[in-house]
Amino acid sequence: MRVLEGVRVVEWGEFVSAPYCGRILAGLGAEVVKVETPGSGDEARLHGPFPNDQPNPEASGLFLHLNVGKRGVTLDPAKPEGLALFRRLLSETDILVTNYRPSQVEALGLGPEDLLALNPRIIAATVTPYGWTGPYRNLPGCDLTVLALAGVSFSVGEPDREPLTPPYFMSDYQAGLTAASAIMTALFAREDTGRGQHVDIAAFEPWATYHAGATVTTFVYQGVTGHRDGRRRPDLYPYTLLPCKDGLLCLIAREGRQWKRFLVDVMQREDLADHERYRNRRVVAEEYPEEMDALLSPWLMERTREEIFELCRKHRVPFAPVRRIDEVLNDPHLAERGFFRTIDHPVAGSLPYTGAPFQMSETPWSMHSAAPTLGEANEEVFGVRLGCSKEALNALQLSSVI
Amino acid sequence: MLPLQGIRVLDFGWVMAAPITAHLMADMGAEVIKVESRTHLDAARRGRPLVSGETSDGDLGNEPDLVPLFHSLNRGKLSITVDLTHPRAWEAIRPLVAKTDVIVHNLTPRASRNLGLTYERLAALREDIIVVSLTAAGQYGPLSDISGYAPSVSSLAGLEGLVGYDGEDPIGMLGLNFSDPNAGMLGYLAAVAALWHRKRTGQGQHVDLSQMEGVAQYLGEPFMEYSMNGSVPSPKGPYHPRMSPYGNFPTSEPDRWVAIAIDDDLDWQAFGKVIGESWVEDERFASREGRMAHRGELNQFVAAWTGPRTVDEIVLPLQHANVAAMPVMSIEDQFADPQHQAREVYVNVEHPKVGSEPIHGLAWKMSDTPGQVDRPAPLLGEHNRYVLEDLLGFTTHQVQDFQDAGVLE
C-alpha cells in the first residue's frame, strides 16, 4: 500500500518548486493532476537539457525529472469556461499546490480563501518566493533573489570576490520539500478536524529557519555576521576541500579522535599529531590553515580520491571524495539500493531518474510512469472524471481552453 | 489545535540532522524527548557559549547549556540524560520506548547495533513504532558503513563539486552544511507520512533515509545532462540557461551585493528604463537568445552600472519596475528586513540561563494548525524527573538508584 493512496492532488504551477512538491506527493502514492497552460505548457519544458542539445518541449531534462508519475492536462483558467472546469476539478480534490504569484492567483478568484469556500476540506498550498503575506508578497523573485534574501548566497564563495549561490535551483527544491511536509501535516490534522487549510510556503524561509536558525542567535548575542570562506570553514581544522591526485577530497573531522586517526593511522604521521603548533584545531583554522594544508598536500597528491577514501573508511575517518556527476550515476552503492530507476518516455526514450528521497519499509515509493506529454490526460480527467462529453471536449480544445 | 499533539517522539539524534526532524515535530505539537548523555555529549552542546564563559571552555563541553547551535536545533524539547553504554540503561529506555510513537536518530548502522537501537529491537518493545534512521548512505549497500558530515555526504552525492565560479575548480558550500537540514526536513516528511499511514492502518514502519540520496535527488538536471549528452557538468557560478543578466553584482558599499535576474523581454525593457544608458539599446541584447549569447559582456555592463551605486539606489527602482532584484543579505540585513519581520521569521523565547533569546520561527505558515515556537531548548537532563517519575512511574528512590549507579550520566 502507498502512503497517499486515494489522495487527489492538483498541481498548478511551473518550473521547480510546485512541480517538485507534486513529484514527492506522487512518489508517496497520490494521484497528481498537473495543470499546464494550453499550447506552451510548463516553462520547465523550455529549460533543457535536451537530447543532442535539440530543444524540444517534450524532452526537456528538467521537466522530465520533475514530473514523473503525474497525469498532465491543459487548462486556461483565465478563460471563463476554463475557470468553471478548474473549479469543478478543485471541488473534488484534496490538495492544490501552486507557485503562481498572489496577484495572479487572486485575480482569478482562486486564492486560498476562495478555494476553502468552494471546498472546505481542501489543503491549498501556495509556494512563492517571499510568501503570501508581508510587503514583498507580490515582488517578482526566483531562486537567485530568494537565496540572496535568505542569507545563503552571502556565505557561498571566496571572501574577496562576489558571492555565489547554490547551483540548480536549490531554493525551489527546498520550498517544494517544505510544502510537501506542511501538506502532509495538514492531511494528518484533517483526519481530526475535518477541515482543510491554507499552507503558505515562502521559499526563503526554510533557509532562514531550520537551515540557519542559529545565525540569528549568534548575531544578536555575539555580533557574528558571517562571511564567505571559500572552500573551508574558519573555526575548525580540518573543514575543507583539498586537492589530491585526481580531484578534490572533502576533509572534515569534528572530533579530535577522528583527526588523530587520520594523521596517525592513515598518513602515519604521529609527529604531526603530537606537534604543539597543531594541537589546538581552532587556532590552526583561524591563524594558519594553509600551513597545515601544505603539510598534508604531498601525501594527498600522491593518491587518488578513491584510494584515500578506502584508507579512511578502514580507519573510520569520515573524509570523502568530491564526486563528479558521472561517478554518482554509476556508483555501485546507489545501484545496489536501486536509487536510479530507468523509465521510458515516448519522446525522450529510456533514461535513468533519481528515485525515492527515503525508503519506507511498508509503503514503497511510487514511480511508474514518465512525465506527461502536454495535455496527455485531458480526456481521462475532463471526460471520464468530470463527465465532459466528446463534443464539449472538442469545443474546449478549439477555443484553446484546454 | 496542534497537529502532532499527543504524539511522543524520542530524539536519539546528534548534532543537526535528526535533531532538526525532532524540532520540527516539537514545533507542530509533539512531545519530544531528547535522550542524551554527559559521557557522549552532543557536539552541538560544544562551542562558544552565548553568554559569559570562555570559548575554550565551551569547546571542551563545559558550557553545555549555553551553545547557540543547540538552542536553535532543540527548542521545544525535553532532555533526559541516559548513558546508553551503561549496562542498566535499558531499564529506563525499555519502558520509555513502549510509550513512544516515533524514534528518530542519525546513528550509523554500526552505532545503532552497538547501542541496541535497531528497528527490530525497538519494534519488539512496541509493535507499531515508527523509526526514522538518518544515515550518511543508508542501512544497506556497500557504503552503508560510512559516517560523514553534511558536506562530505553532499561531496559523495555530487553537489559540492558543482559549486564554484564559472569555469574554475569547485569550492563547495561547506559553510551551509546543506545536507543536514535537508535530511532533517526529509525525515520530518517521512515521519508524518508514516504517522498518517499508521493512523489509517495501525501499522508502524522503518524509514531508511540516506542523506546521500536525499541530496542526489535534487540533481536531476545535471544527471540528465550526462545521460542525454554524455557531458559532465562543472561549476558555472550563478547560472540559469534562460536568464541573463543573472548574478550577484557589486555596489558602492563594502561587501554588499545585489542579486538581479532578468527573465523575458518585458523584464529587460523594464530594466532598461531604470538603467537609461545606451548599452541597453544594443540590438544584440534585445532578445532572450541574444542576452544569453552575450551574457559575459552583458554582466560586465550591469556590474559597471551597479558598482558606483548603493544597494538601495539599485534595488528599490528595479523592484518598483517589477524586476527581480534583492540585496544579498547577511544575517544583519535579514534581522532588519521588513519581510522577515512581517512574517515573524525570528521570534523570542525565554531561556532560563540566557533570558529573552531570538530564535528562528516556523518553517511554514498554516492557517488552521499553525504550530508553536514558545519553549527554549532544554538544559542538559532538565526533565529526568518528569520522564522517569511522572511518565514512566519510577519512584524517587528508583531514580536515585539510577543516578547513583551512573545510568543517568
Side-chain angles (χ1 to χ4, degrees):
Chain A
M1 185 181 176
R2 317 282 167 176
V3 174
L4 293 182
E5 210 156 293
V7 173
R8 287 177 162 183
V9 178
V10 171
E11 174 197 308
W12 179 44
E14 298 190 40
F15 202 52
V16 177
S17 63
Y20 176 64
C21 176
R23 190 199 209 253
I24 295 178
L25 299 174
L28 288 169
E31 180 198 283
V32 178
V33 173
K34 179 180 179 73
V35 177
E36 297 185 76
T37 310
S40 54
D42 184 339
E43 68 167 277
R45 291 182 179 276
L46 305 175
H47 186 90
F50 299 102
N52 308 314
D53 292 322
Q54 294 299 309
N56 177 343
E58 295 299 356
S60 160
L62 181 67
F63 181 85
L64 296 174
H65 160 67
L66 286 167
N67 293 290
V68 288
K70 302 176 189 173
R71 287 161 208 210
V73 300
T74 50
L75 183 66
D76 182 1
K79 294 198 165 76
E81 306 97 306
L83 186 60
L85 204 54
F86 199 30
R87 287 174 62 90
R88 274 171 63 196
L89 187 63
L90 293 170
S91 68
E92 56 162 61
T93 197
D94 297 287
I95 295 159
L96 167 80
V97 53
T98 183
N99 60 359
Y100 290 113
R101 272 200 254 168
S103 55
Q104 292 170 284
V105 172
E106 284 168 349
L108 296 168
L110 293 171
E113 280 146 33
D114 304 310
L115 298 181
L116 282 160
L118 174 74
N119 174 359
R121 283 177 60 82
I122 201 168
I123 293 157
T126 58
V127 189
T128 52
Y130 312 125
W132 205 255
T133 59
Y136 300 177
R137 70 188 297 256
N138 273 317
L139 285 183
C142 61
D143 180 75
L144 183 74
T145 58
V146 161
L147 290 167
L149 175 66
V152 176
S153 302
F154 187 77
S155 69
V156 182
E158 300 281 3
D160 47 359
R161 297 173 70 182
E162 77 274 16
L164 294 169
T165 198
Y168 297 103
F169 316 106
M170 283 300 146
S171 80
D172 291 319
Y173 283 100
Q174 210 63 186
L177 166 62
T178 304
S181 294
I183 287 167
M184 200 64 241
T185 309
L187 270 176
F188 189 73
R190 196 180 72 172
E191 292 288 296
D192 293 326
T193 64
R195 291 188 300 269
Q197 57 180 314
H198 176 203
V199 168
D200 166 12
I201 304 297
F204 78 100
E205 287 181 348
W207 305 91
T209 60
Y210 65 89
H211 270 266
T215 56
V216 70
T217 323
T218 49
F219 166 65
V220 171
Y221 269 88
Q222 301 169 336
V224 177
T225 54
H227 36 79
R228 296 181 296 289
D229 300 296
R231 57 164 68 149
R232 68 170 84 248
R233 260 182 64 150
D235 54 354
L236 182 68
Y237 195 97
Y239 210 112
T240 185
L241 305 183
L242 289 178
C244 61
K245 193 175 180 180
D246 67 340
L248 290 167
L249 192 72
C250 177
L251 298 92
I252 300 174
R254 274 186 190 269
E255 309 295 328
R257 58 182 183 275
Q258 298 164 333
W259 179 227
K260 191 163 182 189
R261 284 201 294 265
F262 178 72
L263 293 175
V264 175
D265 300 333
V266 177
M267 269 184 77
Q268 317 230 323
R269 287 292 302 270
E270 204 145 344
D271 58 315
L272 287 180
D274 292 338
H275 203 293
E276 184 62 38
R277 187 167 165 82
Y278 309 117
R279 194 160 296 157
N280 186 325
R281 302 195 295 142
R282 190 188 276 271
V283 172
V284 173
E286 284 171 358
E287 294 175 22
Y288 37 84
E290 284 87 3
E291 183 181 318
M292 193 78 225
D293 293 350
L295 289 167
L296 308 181
S297 177
W299 188 91
L300 293 173
M301 293 308 287
E302 279 171 16
R303 290 164 179 85
T304 65
R305 288 169 297 158
E306 297 298 328
E307 281 166 6
I308 299 170
F309 187 37
E310 201 184 317
L311 277 172
C312 285
R313 282 175 65 188
K314 197 171 131 200
H315 294 286
R316 293 170 49 225
V317 174
F319 296 173
V322 176
R323 282 189 171 158
R324 296 188 315 263
I325 282 302
D326 54 322
E327 294 168 330
V328 181
L329 196 59
N330 295 313
D331 178 24
H333 173 74
L334 294 177
E336 183 169 325
R337 291 176 56 84
F339 176 65
F340 289 101
R341 304 195 195 182
T342 302
I343 301 178
D344 197 36
H345 181 275
V347 180
S350 188
L351 289 163
Y353 289 77
T354 59
F358 42 73
Q359 299 184 7
M360 300 177 76
S361 60
E362 304 298 328
T363 49
W365 197 254
S366 185
M367 236 176 98
H368 298 301
S369 57
T373 55
L374 193 60
E376 180 182 87
N378 280 356
E379 201 170 308
E380 181 199 334
V381 172
F382 300 133
V384 179
R385 193 160 132 189
L386 296 184
C388 293
S389 67
K390 273 230 153 51
E391 296 74 45
L393 282 179
N394 280 339
L396 289 171
Q397 190 149 9
L398 278 174
S399 53
S400 297
V401 171
I402 66 172
Chain B
M1 182 225 166
L2 291 162
L4 300 185
Q5 187 122 39
I7 301 294
R8 182 169 296 125
V9 179
L10 294 188
D11 171 9
F12 288 96
W14 171 254
V15 200
M16 286 186 87
I20 289 176
T21 299
H23 112 46
L24 294 165
M25 298 189 81
D27 289 356
M28 289 294 115
E31 180 184 83
V32 178
I33 300 169
K34 185 173 179 74
V35 186
E36 48 183 340
S37 171
R38 279 169 227 284
T39 62
H40 193 60
L41 197 65
D42 186 343
R45 284 198 184 269
R46 297 197 309 247
R48 185 179 167 193
L50 261 182
V51 288
S52 61
E54 293 290 324
T55 300
S56 54
D57 240 19
D59 283 350
L60 291 171
N62 295 330
E63 298 285 2
D65 294 327
L66 292 176
V67 180
L69 183 65
F70 188 86
H71 287 198
S72 171
L73 305 183
N74 297 283
R75 81 280 188 71
K77 300 180 189 173
L78 312 176
S79 164
I80 64 163
T81 48
V82 178
D83 177 2
L84 293 172
T85 63
H86 193 285
R88 290 182 58 198
W90 281 79
E91 289 176 32
I93 297 296
R94 202 174 293 118
L96 186 54
V97 169
K99 291 195 164 201
T100 292
D101 301 287
V102 180
I103 288 177
V104 297
H105 72 78
N106 52 342
L107 301 161
T108 62
R110 179 173 171 273
S112 313
R113 284 193 300 274
N114 288 346
L115 295 173
L117 289 168
T118 59
Y119 173 71
E120 291 68 26
R121 183 169 183 195
L122 297 165
L125 295 172
R126 172 154 177 164
E127 201 188 347
D128 65 353
I129 199 135
I130 292 160
V131 179
V132 181
S133 304
L134 279 59
T135 54
Q139 298 293 310
Y140 66 96
L143 292 183
S144 60
D145 65 318
I146 67 165
S147 62
Y149 296 100
S152 44
V153 168
S154 45
S155 293
L156 279 169
L159 175 61
E160 300 294 331
L162 294 167
V163 185
Y165 293 92
D166 191 13
E168 299 181 21
D169 282 343
I171 62 170
M173 43 185 208
L174 270 52
L176 297 185
N177 287 312
F178 171 77
S179 171
D180 276 339
N182 176 58
M185 184 54 92
L186 283 168
Y188 174 87
L189 170 65
V192 182
L195 278 169
W196 149 276
H197 179 72
R198 192 188 71 171
K199 201 171 208 165
R200 299 212 293 182
T201 64
Q203 193 177 40
Q205 60 181 316
H206 186 201
V207 176
D208 171 9
L209 194 159
S210 152
Q211 291 205 31
M212 185 178 163
E213 290 162 15
V215 172
Q217 49 132 4
Y218 299 126
L219 301 176
E221 194 180 334
F223 286 133
M224 285 289 182
E225 177 72 46
Y226 179 73
S227 301
M228 287 175 164
N229 296 319
S231 53
V232 177
S234 54
K236 294 195 205 64
Y239 177 75
H240 188 299
R242 287 168 37 80
M243 291 196 196
S244 168
Y246 186 88
N248 298 319
F249 295 94
T251 71
S252 62
E253 301 175 61
D255 203 23
R256 295 201 74 205
W257 310 78
V258 293
I260 299 172
I262 300 297
D263 185 8
D264 56 19
D265 294 348
L266 281 178
D267 277 1
W268 173 249
Q269 285 148 19
F271 178 74
K273 274 196 191 121
V274 173
I275 306 277
E277 293 185 359
S278 59
W279 54 271
V280 299
E281 306 292 338
D282 191 325
E283 275 304 306
R284 294 175 306 155
F285 303 149
S287 69
R288 187 194 289 274
E289 292 69 29
R291 292 190 295 276
M292 280 314 295
H294 302 100
R295 69 187 186 96
E297 190 183 346
L298 188 48
N299 279 349
Q300 283 178 13
F301 276 123
V302 177
W305 182 79
T306 60
R309 290 172 167 77
T310 65
V311 171
D312 282 354
E313 285 167 357
I314 301 159
V315 168
L316 296 179
L318 288 177
Q319 287 183 344
H320 188 71
N322 215 20
V323 168
M326 192 58 72
V328 176
M329 294 196 187
S330 67
I331 182 64
E332 188 174 4
D333 302 321
Q334 290 177 275
F335 196 66
D337 174 62
Q339 187 70 3
H340 284 70
Q341 288 170 358
R343 300 207 22 116
E344 297 181 312
V345 169
Y346 306 122
V347 296
N348 282 291
V349 293
E350 280 296 318
H351 187 277
K353 290 195 176 175
V354 175
S356 175
E357 180 183 358
I359 203 159
H360 65 276
L362 297 159
W364 46 59
K365 304 272 180 282
M366 295 174 65
S367 62
D368 195 45
T369 59
Q372 59 180 11
V373 183
D374 54 5
R375 295 164 298 166
L379 308 178
L380 185 59
E382 183 181 345
H383 303 94
N384 282 0
R385 197 158 291 278
Y386 161 76
V387 172
L388 294 166
E389 292 184 21
D390 301 352
L391 191 61
L392 302 180
F394 288 108
T395 63
T396 308
H397 179 75
Q398 285 171 308
V399 173
Q400 190 61 48
D401 180 47
F402 279 142
Q403 183 89 52
D404 295 343
V407 177
L408 307 184
E409 275 306 301

